[in-house]
Amino acid sequence: MLELRNETVPFFRRSTALDPDRAYRQRWWTLGVMCLSLLVIGLDNTILNVALPTLVRDLDASSSQLQWIVDAYALVFASLLLTAGALGDRYGRRLTLGVGLVIFGVGSVLSAFAASPGSLIAWRALMGVGGAVIMPSTLSIVTNVFPAEERGRAIGIWAGVSGIGIAIGPVLGGWLLENFWWGSVFFINVPVIALAVLAGLYLVPESRDPAATPLDPIGAVLSTFGLAALTYGLIEAPAHGWTDGTILGAFAAAAVLLATFVFAELRARHPMMDVRLFENSRFTAASISTALVFFALFGVLFFLTQYLQFVLGYGTLEVGVRLIPVAGALIVSAPLSARLTERLGTKAVVTAGLLLVAAGLAVLATASTATGYGVVVTSLVVIGLGMGTTMAPATEAIMGALPRARAGVGSAVATTLRQVGGVLGVAVLGSLLSSVYGARIGDTLHGLPAGVVSAARDSVGAATGVAARIGGDAGQQLTAAAHSAFIHAMDVTVLVGAGVALAGALVALLFLPARAQRPAPETETVEPGASEVTVRVG
């Protein structure tokens, strides 16, 4: 224990920022720690996408299980973000950040040694709990330590770091998979987390909402189960049929639970999410824009790795290297978007970014076995430029529309919508891909054994594996049929994603204000140790 101003301060809540001036001087170091914490989340998402084909072979994971390995994390992440943001505002954002990093680390170790798809799904859900606590803390801390005139630049760097995770993840994942067992893609998170925790102890000042309200357990339960029912229905619909009673029941439950959530939040004395925030056109349009960007990105990455590996025949490391262009473009464009926004305004920049995403997806829709990687790299560069151009100004617009003291819940709302977009991207586009692929390849499997038909209809990876075991002309014909069906399904799916991005551009054009109003000076509580000091931050 450390004695400071006659108060007992727990070790984890110590900070070298013993005065507000020092907290201000250290703001760029603080941003570095937040970016490191964010890096582990971005790294985990993309590194897993490269490992999906390996999980098909080593764990015998089905197409539905692959989606749940991705979505178990994303669903829990999105469902708990609002609660985690409220916890940070109430109990301290640095404290919750550290707790989230530890939970994420434990989940990573357990995932690395999972013995079955079911256990991996469970431990991925635990990682989602940790990620949900980490994410809103990083953005709210960045928002609070930077004055208004520097906030856009800081958020641009924060957004650009997500691109570094996208770049490092596939390459690192490919190298690990070629040299170690598949669990190493999770175990690699541990040293990054350890560094972030240690750096956070000494470089991040504590902050909280001085008027934090009680938590909202009813809202947390309703939102969690509502999103779970919705995602379950979307993922399982291709296997059971969209009109199956279980699927219709899941959609009905989701509608009732989410509607009840909105009703309860409107009437709650201390709502977890103030749904009246969406009366603010700046907040709503920016939130929708970022959600639709992540819808497209998560959905595309889910099947693009399978296209590169199973159809074009690249190894895991080669796949990782070939995904770098999307990250490189995002890294370049995200920090530059702040300057573009100053010159052209938020509306123009966000709309242009979403149009670029749509154009990149349209290019990808022309891919085939004959076009090779050239079409893919062109598409990835355009998509990355569009994402980087959209993410930073949209995020700054969301945070700038809220009081600084509510940064935790505000960043949680923004991140929740982004992650829900990602969950739905994998679920909707993954389900569409599976449905179109299964119907297309089913027409070519007449006369084959039932086991072969079932495996081939499940996924292109399973079909390729079965074809390799059959061998000969029959195996080659099955491989060709699977590739053809997958490419057709991918083309249809990508065009749907492009349409979603165009819808986002339309929302931004119609409803996002041309330029954000400069916020009035605000105050926020920054804690040097355990003592609170109110400082000017606007």
Side-chain angles (χ1 to χ4, degrees):
M1 308 296 281
L2 172 70
E3 289 294 320
L4 177 65
R5 299 186 184 180
N6 298 320
E7 297 182 33
T8 301
V9 184
F11 173 76
F12 188 78
R13 301 191 63 184
R14 298 180 191 176
S15 174
T16 57
L18 297 180
D19 60 73
D21 289 337
R22 187 167 183 178
Y24 175 78
R25 290 195 305 271
Q26 288 188 164
R27 66 196 185 280
W28 294 107
W29 287 104
T30 300
L31 176 63
V33 178
M34 296 305 99
C35 289
L36 186 63
S37 302
L38 177 65
L39 178 64
V40 76
I41 295 177
L43 184 69
D44 179 75
N45 283 331
T46 56
I47 206 171
L48 177 61
N49 277 296
V50 175
L52 291 177
T54 304
L55 295 177
V56 172
R57 292 190 295 264
D58 292 358
L59 290 184
D60 197 25
S62 68
S63 179
S64 178
Q65 287 172 327
L66 286 181
Q67 286 185 286
W68 274 111
I69 289 170
V70 175
D71 281 336
Y73 171 86
L75 175 62
V76 173
F77 188 118
S79 301
L80 295 180
L81 275 167
L82 296 176
T83 301
L87 287 170
D89 285 342
R90 182 177 179 83
Y91 296 110
R93 293 154 189 152
R94 188 185 66 170
L95 175 62
T96 55
L97 174 64
V99 171
L101 287 167
V102 171
I103 294 173
F104 195 91
V106 172
S108 297
V109 173
L110 293 172
S111 294
F113 296 99
S116 66
S119 60
L120 180 55
I121 290 169
W123 301 133
R124 286 283 296 163
L126 179 62
M127 292 176 67
V129 175
V133 180
I134 294 170
M135 191 69 172
S137 299
T138 64
L139 184 54
S140 58
I141 289 171
V142 169
T143 301
N144 278 286
V145 299
F146 282 90
E149 62 271 14
E150 293 180 338
R151 186 194 304 159
R153 181 183 172 193
I155 290 178
I157 295 172
W158 177 88
V161 168
S162 63
I164 297 176
I166 293 173
I168 296 175
V171 177
L172 181 59
W175 181 80
L176 289 170
L177 289 169
E178 291 195 353
N179 292 276
F180 304 96
W181 94 113
W182 62 264
S184 60
V185 302
F186 298 108
F187 205 79
I188 195 65
N189 293 329
V190 176
V192 181
I193 290 170
L195 180 60
V197 170
L198 291 175
L201 290 173
Y202 297 101
L203 295 174
V204 179
E206 185 62 286
S207 64
R208 64 177 70 183
D209 181 359
T213 59
L215 300 178
D216 177 21
I218 294 177
V221 170
L222 289 171
S223 63
T224 299
F225 284 96
L227 288 169
L230 176 62
T231 306
Y232 174 83
L234 290 168
I235 290 176
E236 294 297 325
H240 295 278
W242 290 90
T243 58
D244 179 79
T246 302
I247 302 305
L248 293 177
F251 288 143
V256 171
L257 288 167
L258 294 176
T260 305
F261 169 74
V262 173
F263 181 84
E265 296 302 278
L266 285 171
R267 287 155 180 78
R269 184 176 181 182
H270 302 293
M272 181 176 68
M273 184 180 78
D274 184 0
V275 294
R276 293 180 181 85
L277 287 172
F278 293 96
E279 295 176 355
N280 184 318
S281 62
R282 174 185 176 188
F283 181 89
T284 301
S287 297
I288 292 174
S289 298
T290 54
L292 295 182
V293 164
F294 273 73
F295 179 99
L297 175 69
F298 277 51
V300 168
L301 285 180
F302 178 76
F303 59 75
L304 188 56
T305 54
Q306 298 178 64
Y307 170 73
L308 291 173
Q309 188 163 351
F310 291 125
V311 177
L312 297 188
Y314 294 117
T316 51
L317 179 57
E318 293 175 313
V319 169
V321 171
R322 282 162 177 76
L323 290 176
I324 288 178
V326 68
L330 195 155
I331 293 169
V332 171
S333 58
L336 292 178
S337 64
R339 295 183 180 179
L340 289 175
T341 302
E342 291 174 2
R343 294 183 179 182
L344 304 176
T346 305
K347 179 196 289 285
V349 174
V350 173
T351 301
L354 284 161
L355 289 175
L356 281 173
V357 172
L361 291 171
V363 171
L364 187 59
T366 66
S368 68
T369 53
T371 54
Y373 179 65
V375 168
V376 175
V377 70
T378 302
S379 169
L380 290 177
V381 169
V382 177
I383 291 172
L385 290 173
M387 285 195 62
T389 303
T390 302
M391 284 173 57
T395 302
E396 198 282 328
I398 293 169
M399 298 306 296
L402 301 170
R404 190 72 60 89
R406 300 295 291 164
V409 170
S411 63
V413 170
T415 309
T416 296
L417 294 172
R418 233 175 15 231
Q419 292 303 315
V420 168
V423 170
L424 294 179
V426 173
V428 173
L429 297 185
S431 295
L432 177 62
L433 180 81
S434 180
S435 297
V436 176
Y437 168 81
R440 185 82 169 194
I441 196 173
D443 296 335
T444 66
L445 300 177
H446 301 296
L448 293 176
V452 172
V453 173
S454 176
R457 288 175 64 96
D458 182 70
S459 68
V460 64
T464 302
V466 170
R469 290 195 295 270
I470 294 175
D473 291 340
Q476 292 178 0
Q477 291 174 5
L478 178 57
T479 298
H483 288 177
S484 176
F486 184 83
I487 290 171
H488 172 73
M490 189 178 76
D491 290 346
V492 172
T493 304
V494 166
L495 288 176
V496 171
V500 170
L502 285 175
L506 183 61
V507 168
L509 181 64
L510 294 178
F511 301 107
L512 196 62
R515 292 187 180 274
Q517 295 181 349
R518 184 179 177 83
E522 303 168 4
T523 61
E524 168 66 14
T525 299
V526 176
E527 296 187 8
S531 302
E532 296 185 352
V533 179
T534 301
V535 296
R536 194 77 133 187
V537 294

